[in-house]
Amino acid sequence: MDDRVGHRDPRVPEQRRPGSTEEPAMLRFDVLGPVRARRGDERLATGSPQQRALLAALLLREGRTATAAELIDALWGEEPPSQALAAVRTYASRLRKVLDPGVLVSESGGYAVRGLAEGSFDLAVAQEWAAEAEKARNAGDLSHAREVLNRTLGLWDGEALAGVPGPYAEAQRVRLEEWRLGLLESRLDMDLEQGCHAEAVSELTALTAAYPLRERLRELLMLALYRSGRQAEALAVYADTRRLLAEELGVDPRAGLRLLQRRILQADPELAEPSAPAAEPAVVRVRPAQLPATVPDFTGRSAFVRELSEVLAGAGDGTGAGGRVMAVSALAGIGGVGKTTLAVHVAHQARPAFPDGQLYVDLQGAGPRSAEPETVLGSFLRALGTADSAIPDSPEERAALYRSVLDGRRVLVLLDNAKDAAQIRPLLPGTEGCAALVTSRVRMVDLAGAHLVDLDVMSPEEALSLFTRIVGEERVAAERKAALDVVAACGFLPLAIRIAASRLAARRTWTVSVLAAKLADERRRLDELQAGDLAVKATFELGYGALEPAQARAFRLLGLADGPDTSLAAAAAVLDLPVEDTEDLLESLVDTSLLESAAPGRYRFHDLVRLYARACADRDEPPGERDAALSRLLDFYLATAAGVYTIERPGDRTVVHLEPTSYRGLSFGERTQALDWLFAEAQCLLACARQQQSGSGLRRAVDLLWAAKDLAESGANAKQYEWAATALRDAAQDAADVRAESRARTALSNVHLAAGRYSEADDEARRAIELATAAHDATPVSWAATDRGIIALGQGRYEEAEKFLTTARDGYRADGNRPGEANALCNLSRLYERMNRPGDAVTLARQGVDIYQQLGLTLRLANGRYALGVALISAGRLSDGLVQLSDALEMFGSNRQRLWEGTTHFRIAQLHLADRRPAQAAQHAEQALAIGFIGGDLIRGSVLTALGRSLHALGQSDRARACWHEALSLLERSGAPEAAEVRRLLAPLDAS
C-alpha cells in the first residue's frame, strides 16, 4: 500500500520568473482540459481544432523546436493532406498574431513556444505542485501533501487536450490521464493513512465504476471498506474484481490484491490503522555532573525529547543558531505536567554534547520565596572551580565572572522551576557552546531568543504506558478498561498518574477497578490524588496562592462552567467585565499555566485544574455570586442563540415565545458569522443548558435548546443535544414545571425523529402536546404535532398524518408564523406524494417554497426545495426534480446540515436509479452512507438497498449481495414493509 506521489510527470517548456515589474495581463495556457489561451480574463481565439493541436504540440515539446515534419506527423499521422506544410505555416502565423511577441518563434525550419511566465501553464503548475506534495509526503506531512494534491487535481477541467485531433494529442491524452489517475491514487492512499476511510468509500466506488479494470483503485476501496467496518463488502469487491478480470482479460488479480484479501479474512490488526513510527533510539549514558537522577520509568514525550535534543545538540557542536549564539529552551506548563522530568531526561541524553559539565538548580519559582540569582551564581561559580575568596559580592560582578568562567567551555545549565525571565537572565551563559534548559509555570515570552516549548498532558497511550510501568503489566492487562478510566480521571497529567499508580502499587489487595471507582467521584478526586509528599492539590495551590485578587476571582468563576472551553465573550459574561479587561485577565492566567489558550479567543482548564478552581469557588465565593455568574453565562448563550435563530429564520415567531434575558448576547452582521458562532460554541452551549437543571435557569435552559435547534438537525451535535434535553426534561418533571417539561419533550422528540426512533419520538411528542395544552403554551403544540405527523407518515398511517400536519399548519397560521406554515405545507406535500397524489404534492410544495423565498430563508428554503424535488419525481418529472434536489443539496451543505445533506444524496441516488444511471446512483448512495441522514437505521436500510441496486446494475453482484443482506437486517429490525422487496432482490443471488 505504498504508492508514492512521484509518478513520472510530463515535461513542459522551461519557464521564466516574471520581472520586478508585473505585466498588466499575463498570457496563460491550459492543456488539462480544452486547449485554451488567455490574456488575463480574456479568452483568446486559438482557431480550428488542427490549429489548437499545433499549439498543444508546441506547448508539450519542453520548449524545444519542433520541425515542420514532426508537426505534420503530430497533427495527421501517416496520411497528411497534400497541403499539410502550408497548413502548418498558416496555423503558426495565425497563432503568432494572437499571442504575445516572442512567444511562438520560428527556428531552423520549425517552431517553438518560449519564455512562458511562471504560473502561466497549467501543466507546469501541476508538475510543481505534484513535486511539492511528494516532498511533503516524504517528510511525513500528509495533511499538506493531501491539500497540495487536491489543488493539483483541481487543475484538470475534464479530459486533457479535449477536442484536439491527431495521433500526438491522443497519445498525450492517454499519458496525462494515466498521470492524473496516479496522483489521484496517491491522494486516496494518503486519505486512508490519515483515517478518512468513510469519506473515501464514495469516491472510490465511483472511480471503480469508471475504471473497472484498475486494480489499485479496487485495492484502496477494499481497504477503505474494511477500515469503515464493512468487511463483507470489502471481500465482495475482491470477488467482483476476480470475476471481472477473468471474464475480460483471462487473468487473476495481482499479488497485492490477493494478499490484501487474505489479510482481511484473517482480520490482520495492522490493517486497521497505519503503522506506528519507530521508537526513538536509546542514548548511551555518560557520567553526570549536577543533574538529578532521571526517573527509571520515563515514558513517552518522544516528539518533545527529539525537539529539545536537536536544539541542545546544535548548541553543543556549534551548529545551532548559526553556531555563534548560546541556545536557551524554555519549557512551560501547569504544575504536575512533567516539566522537570522531561528536562532532566533530555539533559541526561545531551551530556555527550557538553563534556565540560552540567549545572542544575531548583529556583523555587512556584513557592512564596524564590531563589535569589546572586545566591545561585555563587553556587554555580563554586561548582565550576572558583574559590570562595574570588567570588564577588555584587550580583552584576558575579554574573560577569560566571560568563567569563564559562567562556570556551561547553556546559549545559538546567534552571528548574523558574519564577520569571528576570530571575533567570543573570544565570544564562553568554557564549557559544553552552546551552540552558529552563522550566517554569510561566511562558517566557519576554526571554529574547529563547526556544519556547508548551508542555501539554500526555496522550492516552503514553498515560497508560506510564501507569503500566509503575503498577505492573499483569494487573493492568487484567483490567485494561479500568486502567483507561484511571488515567482519564487523572486528566492524563503525569503527576496525577504517578500518584494514582503508586497508591495502587502499594496496596496489593486493591484492584484497578477499586481505584477507578474512587477517582470517579469528582468531589473527592483531588483528595484521592495524594501519596506521601506528592499531592496534585498542593501543586495547584502554589500557583493559585501567587495570583492577584482579580486573577483569583476569574480563576474561580471560570471554573464553574461545564463546557470543554470558554470563548472570550462568554468569559466576559461570567465575570461581568468588558471584553478587553477579561482578555487581560485570561492571558495573565495563561502565562501562569493555570489556564490554557486553546485557540485565539478561546480558553480552557485542565480537568484537574478545573476541579481545583471549583473547590476554590466553593470555599471563597458567596453562593449568590456563583449562581449569578452561571446565570449571566446562560443569558449570554440564550440571547445570542436567539439572534442566530432570527437570522436563520426571518419571520419565525418562535423567538417571541422564549424566556427573557437580562444579559445581552452577541450580534452578527450576516448569517455565515452567526452559523460559525453557533457551531463553534455548540458543546459549550449545550453543557451550559445541561448544567441549569434547577432554579430560575431551568426554563431558560430549555428555551436555549429551542433556539439552538440547528445543532440537533445537523447531526454533528445530536448526541450532546439529546443528553441535555433528557436531563432538562427529567429536571422539569421533578420540579413540576409543566411548561418547561413540554418544551423539553418537544426538543427530545425532534432528536429521536431525526435518528429514526419513531416510537420514542411519538411518545415524547404526544406527552408534549398534553402538557403544553394544559399550560396554555401553543407553540410546542404545533412543533410536536409536526413531529407526530411525520412519524405517522413514515409508518403509513396517512389519515393520522394528515390530521396532525393540518393541526400544525393551523397553529402556525394562528401565531402568524409563516416559516412554520411553509414547513407544514412541505410536510403535507410529502404526505400527498406517498398517497399517490403527485399533483397536490407539487402544488403544496411550491406554496411552501414561495413562502420561504418571500421571507429570504435559505436553510428552510432547502427543505422546501427538497420536498418539491421529491414531489416532482413522483410526478415523473425527473429532470425538474434533479434541479430542485441539487439546489437543496448545495443549501444544506452551506448551512452545515449534514444529515439533511446525506438524505438529499439518497434521494438523488433514487432518481439516478430511476433514470438508469447506476454509476451516479452508487456515488450518491455512498455519499449518503458516509455523511449520515435523517431517519436512522430505517433510512440506512433504504440507502443500502439503493446502493445494492446500483452495484448490481454495474455488474458487481457480490458487493450488491452484501449491501442487501445488511439492508434486510436493518429493515426487518425496524419492521419496515420494504424488507419484502429486499428479500425478492436477494432470492436469485442467494440461490446461485
Side-chain angles (χ1 to χ4, degrees):
M1 314 302 292
D2 193 30
D3 285 5
R4 308 308 292 176
V5 176
H7 306 278
R8 178 174 296 175
D9 42 358
R11 299 281 304 277
V12 298
E14 181 180 348
Q15 300 187 16
R16 61 176 174 82
R17 294 182 178 273
S20 57
T21 303
E22 184 178 352
E23 298 179 2
M26 184 168 63
L27 189 65
R28 299 178 183 274
F29 296 96
D30 300 323
V31 294
L32 300 179
V35 175
R36 291 184 292 238
R38 292 169 290 143
R39 184 177 287 107
D41 295 330
E42 175 191 3
R43 181 79 60 83
L44 303 181
T46 50
S48 66
Q50 285 79 11
Q51 187 169 308
R52 292 197 301 277
L54 176 70
L55 176 61
L58 293 174
L59 286 168
L60 295 171
R61 290 285 293 181
E62 306 181 21
R64 294 180 291 107
T65 300
T67 66
E70 288 173 330
L71 292 172
I72 290 171
D73 186 60
L75 270 62
W76 292 286
E78 297 179 356
E79 298 182 357
S82 59
Q83 300 298 318
L85 180 57
V88 166
R89 289 171 177 167
T90 300
Y91 298 152
S93 176
R94 290 174 180 171
L95 287 170
R96 191 180 286 116
K97 293 175 182 178
V98 173
L99 306 178
D100 291 346
V103 172
L104 199 161
V105 299
S106 301
E107 189 175 75
S108 303
Y111 302 93
V113 169
R114 300 272 172 79
L116 300 186
E118 184 180 20
S120 64
F121 187 23
D122 62 351
L123 180 54
V125 174
Q127 288 178 208
E128 181 181 345
W129 287 353
E132 180 184 345
E134 181 180 14
K135 183 177 179 181
R137 184 174 187 176
N138 290 336
D141 190 354
L142 294 186
S143 294
H144 181 60
R146 289 173 64 206
E147 186 271 326
V148 174
L149 271 189
N150 273 323
R151 278 195 281 126
T152 306
L153 292 165
L155 292 174
W156 265 263
D157 185 14
E159 183 183 49
L161 304 172
V164 174
Y168 180 76
E170 180 58 32
Q172 294 300 315
R173 252 192 302 275
V174 172
R175 188 160 62 101
L176 289 170
E177 176 63 4
E178 181 63 28
W179 186 48
R180 184 187 73 86
L181 288 172
L183 294 176
L184 183 57
E185 288 169 347
S186 291
R187 198 221 69 210
L188 287 163
D189 194 25
M190 287 186 283
D191 288 349
L192 300 189
E193 285 189 57
Q194 291 216 301
C196 302
H197 321 309
E199 297 88 339
V201 169
S202 172
E203 187 175 0
L204 284 164
T205 296
L207 287 169
T208 52
Y211 305 95
L213 298 177
R214 198 166 179 96
E215 291 184 68
R216 176 59 177 158
L217 291 174
R218 298 270 184 161
E219 187 177 354
L220 290 169
L221 176 57
M222 288 174 64
L223 183 57
L225 287 167
Y226 179 74
R227 288 183 177 175
S228 300
R230 299 161 68 176
Q231 181 180 6
E233 283 188 68
L235 294 170
V237 169
Y238 179 81
D240 286 330
T241 305
R242 183 178 60 183
R243 186 181 62 254
L244 179 67
L245 291 173
E247 292 173 353
E248 296 289 330
L249 304 176
V251 299
D252 290 328
R254 63 187 176 92
L257 204 59
R258 297 197 303 271
L259 176 61
L260 178 59
Q261 185 228 16
R262 289 197 299 272
R263 294 178 70 189
I264 290 175
L265 286 170
Q266 296 164 0
D268 187 343
E270 292 186 4
L271 279 183
E273 294 294 341
S275 58
E280 288 293 308
V283 176
V284 179
R285 286 178 175 267
V286 294
R287 180 179 179 277
Q290 287 192 345
L291 295 177
T294 186
V295 294
D297 49 23
F298 182 87
T299 303
R301 306 297 202 190
S302 58
F304 290 110
V305 171
R306 183 167 53 251
E307 177 183 350
L308 292 167
S309 296
E310 288 174 356
V311 174
L312 293 180
D317 62 18
T319 63
R324 308 303 301 171
V325 181
M326 182 271 306
V328 180
S329 293
L331 287 73
I334 61 172
V337 80
K339 300 181 295 296
T340 299
T341 301
L342 173 61
V344 169
H345 181 78
V346 170
H348 275 284
Q349 287 198 345
R351 282 183 300 174
F354 301 97
D356 294 322
Q358 304 87 39
L359 299 172
Y360 171 84
V361 65
D362 180 357
L363 294 171
Q364 303 290 324
R369 297 185 63 180
S370 57
E372 294 294 335
E374 59 186 289
T375 304
V376 176
L377 285 168
S379 174
F380 279 177
L381 286 168
R382 293 184 189 94
L384 290 167
T386 307
D388 284 348
S389 58
I391 297 176
D393 291 333
S394 74
E396 293 80 9
E397 290 178 316
R398 287 189 177 191
L401 178 59
Y402 169 66
R403 292 191 293 272
S404 299
V405 170
L406 289 177
D407 185 33
R409 298 190 186 186
R410 290 160 62 188
V411 174
L412 174 62
V413 182
L414 177 48
L415 305 172
D416 192 21
N417 197 11
K419 179 181 180 181
D420 52 30
Q423 184 188 29
I424 66 169
R425 283 194 188 97
L427 307 178
L428 298 177
T431 58
E432 61 176 296
C434 293
L437 267 177
V438 183
T439 74
S440 177
R441 300 189 183 197
V442 177
R443 296 188 77 244
M444 300 287 179
V445 293
D446 51 346
L447 190 60
H451 175 73
L452 303 181
V453 176
D454 292 320
L455 192 58
D456 203 350
V457 296
M458 286 181 151
S459 67
E461 295 77 13
E462 291 175 332
L464 184 61
S465 178
L466 174 60
F467 184 77
T468 302
R469 294 187 68 172
I470 298 173
V471 173
E473 180 72 37
E474 184 177 348
R475 296 177 78 181
V476 173
E479 296 182 274
R480 180 178 173 82
K481 184 180 182 303
L484 288 170
D485 291 339
V486 168
V487 296
C490 293
F492 309 112
L493 189 72
L495 175 62
I497 295 167
R498 185 172 295 281
I499 291 172
S502 298
R503 291 188 69 196
L504 183 61
R507 292 164 173 79
R508 303 305 301 177
T509 59
W510 281 17
T511 63
V512 182
S513 298
V514 168
L515 178 61
K518 288 179 174 292
L519 295 177
D521 185 355
E522 289 189 352
R523 296 168 299 178
R524 291 278 307 159
R525 186 175 300 168
L526 288 175
D527 293 329
E528 294 288 346
L529 290 174
Q530 53 184 353
D533 61 348
L534 295 178
V536 172
K537 185 187 291 185
T539 299
F540 296 156
E541 282 173 350
L542 287 173
Y544 177 67
L547 297 179
E548 299 293 332
Q551 291 175 315
R553 175 182 178 269
F555 176 76
R556 294 190 298 267
L557 294 184
L558 288 174
L560 295 172
D562 272 350
D565 62 2
T566 305
S567 70
L568 182 58
V574 171
L575 302 180
D576 198 18
L577 291 172
V579 170
E580 295 79 7
D581 295 346
T582 301
E583 184 174 23
D584 290 342
L585 277 175
L586 268 55
E587 287 296 329
S588 68
L589 289 174
V590 170
D591 288 340
T592 67
S593 296
L594 287 172
L595 193 66
E596 301 172 21
S597 181
R602 302 199 71 86
Y603 302 87
R604 68 185 176 202
F605 284 105
H606 180 272
D607 291 346
L608 295 179
V609 177
R610 184 197 301 275
L611 292 179
Y612 178 71
R614 288 184 177 178
C616 292
D618 289 342
R619 181 188 66 201
D620 301 336
E621 289 288 342
E625 180 55 27
R626 298 199 299 269
D627 293 342
L630 291 176
S631 181
R632 287 191 298 270
L633 181 63
L634 178 60
D635 273 0
F636 166 77
Y637 280 132
L638 178 55
T640 309
V644 175
Y645 191 99
T646 301
I647 293 174
E648 276 291 284
R649 300 171 175 80
D652 192 321
R653 286 181 49 78
T654 299
V655 292
V656 177
H657 304 294
L658 301 180
E659 286 287 305
T661 58
S662 301
Y663 193 93
R664 61 187 178 86
L666 300 174
S667 58
F668 304 99
E670 51 96 24
R671 58 183 302 278
T672 302
Q673 292 178 337
L675 277 178
D676 286 344
W677 177 88
L678 181 64
F679 283 91
E681 290 290 333
Q683 295 188 53
C684 299
L685 180 153
L686 294 173
C688 178
R690 192 177 180 186
Q691 196 171 3
Q692 297 281 345
Q693 296 182 31
S694 61
S696 62
L698 177 59
R699 288 192 173 187
R700 281 177 291 153
V702 173
D703 283 358
L704 178 55
L705 295 184
W706 273 33
K709 183 181 181 183
D710 283 347
L711 297 178
E713 291 189 354
S714 72
N717 303 98
K719 183 56 66 177
Q720 296 96 320
Y721 190 99
E722 180 183 346
W723 291 339
T726 302
L728 292 173
R729 177 203 63 188
D730 295 345
Q733 192 171 17
D734 292 342
D737 189 330
V738 176
R739 180 181 182 280
E741 184 183 350
S742 70
R743 294 191 173 204
R745 287 184 182 275
T746 304
L748 203 50
S749 168
N750 196 250
V751 177
H752 287 316
L753 180 57
R757 299 189 292 265
Y758 285 175
S759 177
E760 294 92 331
D762 201 38
D763 288 344
E764 295 293 350
R766 176 185 53 78
R767 185 61 178 146
I769 291 174
E770 295 172 355
L771 293 168
T773 302
H776 306 290
D777 188 9
T779 305
V781 174
S782 299
W783 276 33
T786 298
D787 286 353
R788 297 205 73 189
I790 294 173
I791 294 165
L793 169 62
Q795 295 177 337
R797 298 181 283 114
Y798 296 149
E799 289 186 9
E800 289 183 60
E802 186 169 22
K803 180 188 73 172
F804 287 127
L805 293 175
T806 302
T807 297
R809 180 199 62 192
D810 294 344
Y812 287 128
R813 281 178 176 171
D815 190 35
N817 192 332
R818 294 278 283 160
E821 178 186 350
N823 179 52
L825 291 171
C826 290
N827 285 321
L828 284 167
S829 166
R830 293 170 58 193
L831 170 64
Y832 292 150
E833 176 260 327
R834 292 283 190 90
M835 295 172 70
N836 200 24
R837 294 164 57 182
D840 292 335
V842 171
T843 299
L844 288 177
R846 287 200 185 280
Q847 290 177 7
V849 168
D850 289 343
I851 292 175
Y852 286 140
Q853 287 179 321
Q854 292 167 14
L855 295 170
L857 290 164
T858 53
L859 172 56
R860 295 307 130 194
L861 179 58
N863 291 112
R865 292 202 184 281
Y866 171 86
L868 180 55
V870 173
L872 288 167
I873 293 171
S874 71
R877 297 163 59 182
L878 298 185
S879 59
D880 292 338
L882 181 58
V883 169
Q884 296 297 327
L885 289 175
S886 298
D887 288 347
L889 184 64
E890 183 178 352
M891 292 178 184
F892 284 133
S894 64
N895 285 276
R896 300 114 189 260
Q897 293 298 311
R898 296 283 286 169
L899 294 183
W900 274 109
E901 194 177 348
T903 305
T904 308
H905 274 298
F906 165 51
R907 291 294 189 180
I908 294 176
Q910 289 183 313
L911 184 149
H912 283 307
L913 268 179
D915 212 18
R916 298 183 180 180
R917 294 194 292 267
Q920 293 92 323
Q923 184 174 7
H924 282 282
E926 282 289 5
Q927 286 179 291
L929 289 171
I931 293 172
F933 26 74
I934 301 288
D937 285 349
L938 176 61
I939 300 301
R940 182 177 177 83
S942 299
V943 176
L944 286 166
T945 303
L947 177 58
R949 287 180 181 274
S950 306
L951 295 171
H952 191 263
L954 292 168
Q956 301 182 30
S957 55
D958 287 283
R959 191 175 166 203
R961 181 193 289 116
C963 290
W964 285 336
H965 273 295
E966 184 181 352
L968 181 61
S969 174
L970 294 169
L971 293 172
E972 286 180 339
R973 191 187 311 156
S974 303
E978 290 86 352
E981 175 64 13
V982 179
R983 291 191 200 95
R984 185 189 67 78
L985 293 169
L986 278 169
L989 293 179
D990 288 343
S992 61

